[in-house]
Amino acid sequence: MSIDLPLLASHAHRLQATPLAALFGDAGRAERLLVQAAGLSLDLGRQRLDAPALDALLAEAHRLRLPSRMRALFEGEPVNPTESRPALHTALRSDLGASATARAAHAEALAARQRMEALSAELEQGSITDIVSVGIGGSDLGPRLVVDALGERGSGRFRVHFLANVDGHAAARLLRGLDPSRTAVLLVSKSFGTQETLLNGRLLRDWLGDDARLYAITANLPRAAEFGIPGDRVLPMWDWVGGRYSLWSAVGWSIRLALGRDGFDALLAGAADMDAHALSAAPARNLALLHALAAVWNRSLLAIPTLAVLPYDDRLGLLPAFLQQLVMESLGKRVRLDGSAVDTETVPVVWGGVGTNSQHSFFQALHQGTQIVACDFIGVIAPDHVHVDNHRALLSNLLAQSEALACGRASADPHRHYPGGRPSSMILLERLDARRLGALLALYEHSVYLQSVLWGINAFDQWGVELGKELADQLLPALSGSGLAGDSLTRDVLARIRKAQG
Ligand code: F6P
């Protein structure tokens, strides 16, 4: 089952023939398209939607049983059928599932948190000053985003660093400023089989000289033991949590160490606020469900190929990178759950950058380029600084851009003509603290899941990344001079590299 495109197409045709700005005067529009929960609001008022189109989308949400599919997620049903697994990231932060599976997962999450606390207390009592969290993809992007956004104001007493790329320059650059005797290293890898993390892990183990300050977070205890990390320095992950949904687990230990216990707890509490809302709010007032409907509408009905994530808060500079993985690894699928080909475009390309900087780089293309880009503007109402003029300027730019994109401005001079008609959503946080950030990230997680239900695809596998990994493994010996691998073009490049390396 997936969204009925022909049913919705007439609404899309009608609305595409209507100037976007002409929709804004509709009675009741603002109230209907503005929803609030968990310390944030979602405003879809500048989407190319009107009441009949929204009603049709909500009818599809009803037909596809989105609320009960959301319940299935929380109860630990196997929503990831290609790996026969549930996706119980919600059990890491809230206790809303009644099934034995969900309850067991929640109990395991609580036990792991207790162990994480005990290890955090040990570290806090010692002489360690710096923490390096080594991981990539889901074992990096979420914790890195949260620490970057909130670390400065956290009560944690450590400087927290991240190492992801297998490029040795990243390690060299990081280690230059660190003292091995005062550094602890967390190796974060659900599989404990990821090339980048294992190579960087070995590099850091050698650099530490003494592996007493080496910890692991993984679902693969035997591999961590093989690597030489004893069980008392390993925190668990589970196959029922996807990497890109895992920052709430011990994968986010770096967040706990940077923000302090209260900060980490508040992050989880904010996500739990959004969980409760996503699970029980009526569809027409449900932030996650409405966000998902707008996303699928833009992609499948209006054929908008990309989504720009535009945080107007410097502290959220890493949000586009986090959402790139969350959205594109989850929704980058071309077959449905039963293996049949989808009959629509699915994942948008996700990109973006902070405002106002981005206004002076790529916004030209947003306003006058040939391709329409859907935008998510994210703003924070109350700042955590005293520079009132700066904050007013920031917010005025945020508001101006979404209006200019939607309404445009006519000019007889084609170079100065702004076509408008470019839709956006606006998410406003009351302030940027751990609780609201937790809610924001959970909102996107739930929206992504509901988009996958609308398209009938699996949001929780990522088979597409495997082929490249296999080929890289085959090419590795060839790069050190032994054996042949790759097709004729790859071999040509290999030969040139070897020649240049002498
Ligand atoms: O290659 C993709 C991926 O499997 C992601 O899904 C995951 O977040 C990342 O690699 C890291 O995986 P791991 O935590 O197992 O090292």
Side-chain angles (χ1 to χ4, degrees):
M1 287 236 288
S2 54
I3 192 157
D4 189 337
L5 297 169
L7 191 85
L8 294 160
S10 61
H11 293 286
H13 287 142
R14 172 172 52 75
L15 287 167
Q16 266 168 331
T18 312
L20 184 50
L23 302 174
F24 298 162
D26 286 2
R29 178 182 179 86
E31 295 76 49
R32 225 182 146 191
L33 293 176
L34 174 69
V35 280
Q36 301 186 44
L40 46 100
S41 62
L42 169 68
D43 188 351
L44 300 175
R46 293 204 190 278
Q47 290 293 346
R48 190 176 286 282
L49 283 168
D50 62 2
L54 185 60
D55 288 342
L57 282 167
L58 285 166
E60 278 299 277
H62 178 73
R63 185 181 66 83
L64 294 169
R65 301 173 28 251
L66 259 53
S68 77
R69 298 314 301 150
M70 185 58 91
R71 170 56 69 187
L73 178 82
F74 280 75
E75 296 301 351
E77 287 182 25
V79 292
N80 176 359
T82 67
E83 296 176 296
S84 312
R85 291 173 186 170
L88 270 168
H89 44 282
T90 49
L92 299 170
R93 64 227 184 179
S94 54
D95 191 13
L96 296 166
S99 70
T101 310
R103 303 207 69 76
H106 186 63
E108 283 192 64
L110 289 183
R113 249 183 26 235
Q114 264 180 19
R115 283 199 55 219
M116 186 173 90
E117 271 315 310
L119 289 177
S120 302
E122 270 176 39
L123 283 173
E124 280 167 348
Q125 281 149 24
S127 58
I128 297 292
T129 54
D130 291 85
I131 305 289
V132 179
S133 182
V134 183
I136 199 160
S139 294
D140 170 63
L141 292 162
R144 193 190 283 258
L145 158 66
V146 178
V147 170
D148 192 55
L150 302 174
E152 233 170 48
R153 298 173 59 81
S155 63
R157 73 162 187 78
F158 303 103
R159 284 187 296 259
V160 175
H161 316 269
F162 292 89
L163 181 60
N165 200 339
V166 75
D167 181 352
H169 293 105
R173 193 181 275 173
L174 173 68
L175 297 185
R176 225 173 275 145
L178 294 177
D179 171 356
S181 67
R182 294 169 83 77
T183 302
V185 174
L186 322 180
L187 298 189
V188 188
S189 177
K190 178 177 167 182
S191 60
F192 226 79
T194 301
Q195 183 195 50
E196 293 91 331
T197 304
L198 293 183
L199 272 168
N200 279 329
R202 281 185 210 113
L203 189 159
L204 280 168
R205 185 176 56 189
D206 293 347
W207 173 81
L208 283 173
D210 163 9
D211 55 19
R213 294 182 306 290
L214 192 59
Y215 298 82
I217 296 93
T218 186
N220 195 333
L221 296 178
R223 279 207 188 146
E226 239 171 70
F227 193 89
I229 308 182
D232 60 347
R233 275 190 273 120
V234 180
L235 288 172
M237 249 289 268
W238 306 272
D239 66 3
W240 43 264
V241 180
R244 53 194 175 274
Y245 298 85
S246 69
L247 70 98
W248 324 98
S249 70
V251 165
W253 191 12
S254 51
I255 302 175
R256 157 64 185 87
L257 294 171
L259 269 55
R261 181 179 187 159
D262 291 351
F264 192 66
D265 285 352
L267 185 81
L268 268 51
D273 293 342
M274 188 53 72
D275 287 345
H277 170 81
L279 196 56
S280 39
R285 305 306 296 158
N286 189 309
L287 271 81
L289 191 144
L290 290 170
H291 189 270
L293 289 177
V296 168
W297 171 256
N298 282 335
R299 187 70 194 102
S300 289
L301 277 306
L302 303 184
I304 299 178
T306 83
L307 170 70
V309 175
L310 306 167
Y312 272 63
D313 190 304
D314 224 60
R315 297 167 294 178
L316 292 177
L318 297 181
L319 185 64
F322 171 78
L323 290 181
Q324 257 169 356
Q325 189 203 15
L326 181 67
V327 177
M328 295 176 77
E329 213 173 61
S330 299
L331 302 176
K333 313 288 161 66
R334 48 190 283 285
V335 294
R336 299 194 189 96
L337 291 166
D338 64 3
S340 61
V342 294
D343 56 0
T344 171
E345 300 290 351
T346 59
V347 70
V349 170
V350 178
W351 58 293
V354 287
T356 59
N357 307 21
S358 312
Q359 292 175 200
H360 302 275
S361 65
F362 57 74
F363 267 56
Q364 166 63 36
L366 298 189
H367 288 287
Q368 290 186 317
T370 50
Q371 204 169 76
I372 293 199
V373 173
C375 298
D376 271 10
F377 286 97
I378 295 134
V380 176
I381 295 171
D384 286 302
H385 59 68
V386 294
H387 311 295
V388 179
D389 292 345
N390 288 60
H391 195 62
R392 284 189 188 136
L394 182 72
L395 291 184
S396 66
N397 275 284
L398 162 70
L399 297 173
Q401 291 298 331
S402 94
E403 183 176 327
L405 285 166
C407 302
R409 186 164 66 200
S411 168
D413 175 352
H415 300 286
R416 290 176 170 76
H417 178 75
Y418 296 85
R422 288 147 199 250
S424 63
S425 298
M426 190 178 294
I427 297 174
L428 289 180
L429 279 65
E430 289 160 355
R431 59 180 334 117
L432 184 64
D433 56 14
R435 192 153 188 150
R436 272 83 165 201
L437 183 56
L440 176 71
L441 302 182
L443 165 64
Y444 274 103
E445 286 181 349
H446 290 316
S447 169
V448 163
Y449 169 60
L450 291 175
Q451 289 174 58
S452 79
V453 175
L454 287 162
W455 279 320
I457 60 180
N458 185 349
F460 300 110
D461 62 7
Q462 59 283 320
W463 296 106
V465 301
E466 294 305 324
L467 175 60
K469 288 184 194 175
E470 270 173 42
L471 295 187
D473 282 347
Q474 288 162 20
L475 285 163
L476 197 55
L479 268 157
S480 37
S482 63
L484 277 179
D487 67 6
S488 61
L489 294 177
T490 302
R491 286 182 200 189
D492 283 352
V493 183
L494 266 174
R496 273 187 277 131
I497 291 173
R498 279 192 198 153
K499 196 169 163 207
Q501 288 176 335

